[in-house]
Amino acid sequence: MAQEQAAAVNSELLEDLEYRGLVYQVTNREELSKKMSEGRVTLYCGFDPTADSLHIGSLLPILTLRRFQLAGHNSIALVGGGTGLIGDPSGRSTERSLNTDDTVANWTESLKNQLSRFLDFEAAGNPAKLVSNYDWLAPLDIITFLRDIGKNFTVNYMLAKDSVDSRLANGISFTEFSYMILQAYDFFKLNRDHGVNLQLGGSDQWGNITAGLDLIGKMGGSDAYGITMPLVTKSDGKKFGKSESGAVWLDRSKTSAYQFYQFWINTDDSDVIRFLKYFTFLSREEIAALEQAVASQPEKREAQRELARQVTRLVHGADAVESAEKITAALFSGDVTQLSEDELVEALQDMPTTVMGEAAETGLIDLLVEAKAAPSRRQAKQDIESGAVYVNGVKQTGIDTMLTSEQRLHGRYVVLRRGKKNYYLVKFE
């Protein structure tokens, strides 16, 4: 892991989490604080495999698990190989689609690989652990489930939970209705078998977490606690974790490092300090300095650049930061000739792309029309004459310009730019 390992338990971790705004609700705060100051706690957070990658909405709990590990505590990441086959009703107005066993198993393995980038499973002294609840839920027979576990929950108790109550108007299946009991059983099993005494989750998981605490108490488990983190929102009311091209994923093949970097660098001034506290390991002094920079020189976007660097480095590594900044500089200057082929494709993957057959040379006007950079030959001619057209970063002023195969970047690409920001990629095959 990039961060230094803690030599001893950090007794001030809970206070630091509160400074960062990472504690939304907590059970028995004073008792938990005392327990954390006396020694290690063992905690877990669950991640259901609803896709083959986690998105940045999961980054907050992942990094909070990491904070606990760096502070000397024992972190466990649970991948819901079992609960992923059921579906969590929390935060949803409709039923989830059920996926096949093979699909969920494959997604579970993908999530395990992703989580290993953030948690150190080989750290000396306090290695993180990775478990799947499929291991104990799959062998659980229906009689045991109903008699030994379900008997501890009344229907009235379950109906009062927000995750169920919010679904009653549209209906909820018994399958998703039972999810709360399964997650509670996870907490009980981990408390009994792994000494887990703390569960983390988003604020929408409060009902599931407290159900687990109740089950632990009724089935004779040891002391346990719960912490929920805030659901991340943006000050403009738009949903966090969405870009113009869709969800922002932690898998680089689904969201490129450049797109990922750009998501963070486009953070609004009103959100950036909060996100620095949430998603980075910068010190209070460093965050305070960046907050001052936002107040005094917001146009420099120093805080946004640091946020983008820090989070991109955490998720994709230092090389990804270097590449993303190189692409950013190239698109700002218009000089794309210094980009590698992979960087060029990554930079322009959201731009309009036209695939053309192999040709020795192509007229610039025809190319502009073919790539839809101009609606007509007449407009293309006017754009060239006005100096608004660039080919591979070079301004073109001749309406009779012919582009040869030698001018193609990496032998295949022509990058057209109309004005300052309108890019078009032409790929010859």
Side-chain angles (χ1 to χ4, degrees):
M1 294 172 69
Q3 302 291 325
E4 294 182 2
Q5 294 294 332
V9 174
N10 178 359
S11 61
E12 299 178 355
L13 175 61
L14 186 56
E15 192 271 334
D16 183 64
L17 295 177
E18 289 172 333
Y19 153 74
R20 293 177 179 275
L22 293 174
V23 177
Y24 183 75
Q25 293 165 298
V26 58
T27 63
N28 298 321
R29 188 209 180 279
E30 296 307 315
E31 288 184 24
L32 176 59
S33 178
K34 181 181 178 183
K35 192 172 189 69
M36 290 174 64
S37 67
E38 292 174 344
R40 291 178 178 173
V41 298
T42 301
L43 68 149
Y44 93 97
C45 185
F47 305 89
D48 273 351
T50 56
D52 59 355
S53 171
L54 296 167
H55 50 72
I56 61 172
S58 300
L59 200 53
L60 199 65
I62 293 173
L63 296 182
T64 304
L65 274 181
R66 180 181 173 122
R67 292 182 199 279
F68 271 89
Q69 184 181 19
L70 290 173
H73 299 286
N74 300 318
S75 293
I76 296 177
L78 180 149
V79 178
T83 45
L85 291 166
I86 302 302
D88 185 357
S90 302
R92 291 181 62 89
S93 59
T94 58
E95 292 272 327
R96 294 180 185 272
S97 298
L98 294 179
N99 297 296
T100 66
D101 289 14
D102 287 345
T103 296
V104 173
N106 289 334
W107 289 352
T108 297
E109 289 304 309
S110 295
L111 266 56
K112 286 180 177 179
N113 291 333
Q114 280 192 334
L115 289 165
S116 68
R117 302 207 307 261
F118 302 96
L119 300 170
D120 191 343
F121 298 109
E122 299 178 356
N126 68 326
K129 292 181 180 179
L130 187 62
V131 298
S132 170
N133 60 15
Y134 185 86
D135 295 342
W136 56 81
L137 292 181
L140 192 64
D141 66 89
I142 187 65
I143 300 298
T144 301
F145 173 73
L146 293 175
R147 283 180 59 88
D148 297 347
I149 306 166
K151 193 68 174 176
N152 293 287
F153 295 87
T154 67
V155 171
N156 290 345
Y157 173 89
M158 296 176 70
L159 289 175
K161 297 293 185 180
D162 287 342
S163 60
V164 174
D165 181 61
S166 63
R167 289 284 298 279
L168 293 180
N170 294 328
I172 182 171
S173 69
F174 176 75
T175 301
E176 289 199 358
F177 182 65
S178 67
Y179 184 94
M180 179 195 307
I181 301 178
L182 295 178
Q183 184 170 323
Y185 184 64
D186 286 345
F187 200 174
F188 166 75
K189 281 284 291 182
L190 291 171
N191 177 265
R192 187 186 68 183
D193 298 346
H194 294 274
V196 169
N197 40 31
L198 175 62
Q199 183 181 171
L200 295 179
S203 60
D204 61 343
Q205 294 299 310
W206 182 250
N208 293 333
I209 291 174
T210 53
L213 293 172
D214 290 341
L215 183 62
I216 289 170
K218 290 177 179 178
M219 296 185 71
S222 60
D223 291 342
Y225 309 88
I227 291 179
T228 62
M229 294 156 284
L231 293 181
V232 185
T233 58
K234 295 171 71 174
S235 59
D236 61 5
K238 293 181 180 178
K239 189 173 182 180
F240 175 80
K242 295 285 187 179
S243 67
E244 292 182 2
S245 56
V248 180
W249 300 92
L250 302 186
D251 186 334
R252 191 167 179 172
S253 68
K254 298 171 79 72
T255 298
S256 73
Y258 169 70
Q259 290 173 312
F260 190 84
Y261 179 91
Q262 286 298 311
F263 172 83
W264 296 102
I265 210 166
N266 287 327
T267 300
D268 191 87
D269 287 349
S270 58
D271 292 322
V272 67
I273 299 304
R274 182 162 53 97
F275 289 178
L276 282 165
K277 291 178 180 179
Y278 281 178
F279 297 105
T280 79
F281 291 81
L282 294 177
S283 68
R284 297 189 187 194
E285 293 75 20
E286 290 170 316
I287 292 173
L290 290 168
E291 187 169 16
Q292 179 59 38
V294 173
S296 60
Q297 295 178 306
E299 71 282 356
K300 291 189 174 182
R301 300 186 68 77
E302 185 178 340
Q304 282 86 347
R305 287 200 302 275
E306 190 60 28
L307 174 65
R309 289 190 193 107
Q310 291 287 330
V311 185
T312 304
R313 185 179 294 112
L314 275 169
V315 176
H316 296 302
D319 290 346
V321 176
E322 182 179 347
S323 177
E325 292 188 330
K326 182 180 176 183
I327 292 171
T328 301
L331 293 180
F332 180 78
S333 67
D335 182 9
V336 295
T337 60
Q338 302 304 310
L339 298 178
S340 68
E341 183 172 359
D342 287 344
E343 289 170 339
L344 180 67
V345 173
E346 188 169 325
L348 300 176
Q349 66 180 30
D350 288 335
M351 309 297 181
T353 300
T354 301
V355 178
M356 297 186 64
E358 191 59 53
E361 60 180 18
T362 309
L364 177 56
I365 287 179
D366 292 332
L367 198 60
L368 289 167
V369 174
E370 186 70 25
K372 295 182 172 54
S376 65
R377 291 176 59 84
R378 177 181 177 182
Q379 185 62 54
K381 179 179 178 182
Q382 290 179 357
D383 290 340
I384 294 171
E385 290 177 331
S386 65
V389 173
Y390 295 76
V391 174
N392 298 336
V394 179
K395 181 186 289 187
Q396 305 295 315
T397 57
I399 60 174
D400 296 324
T401 297
M402 301 296 292
L403 303 178
T404 67
S405 57
E406 286 76 19
Q407 292 174 273
R408 297 169 193 165
L409 300 176
H410 309 291
R412 305 178 62 194
Y413 304 98
V414 171
V415 178
L416 301 173
R417 177 161 63 97
R418 179 173 174 266
K420 291 184 177 182
K421 296 182 179 180
N422 299 309
Y423 281 90
Y424 305 83
L425 179 65
V426 180
K427 181 166 60 174
F428 289 87
E429 294 184 344

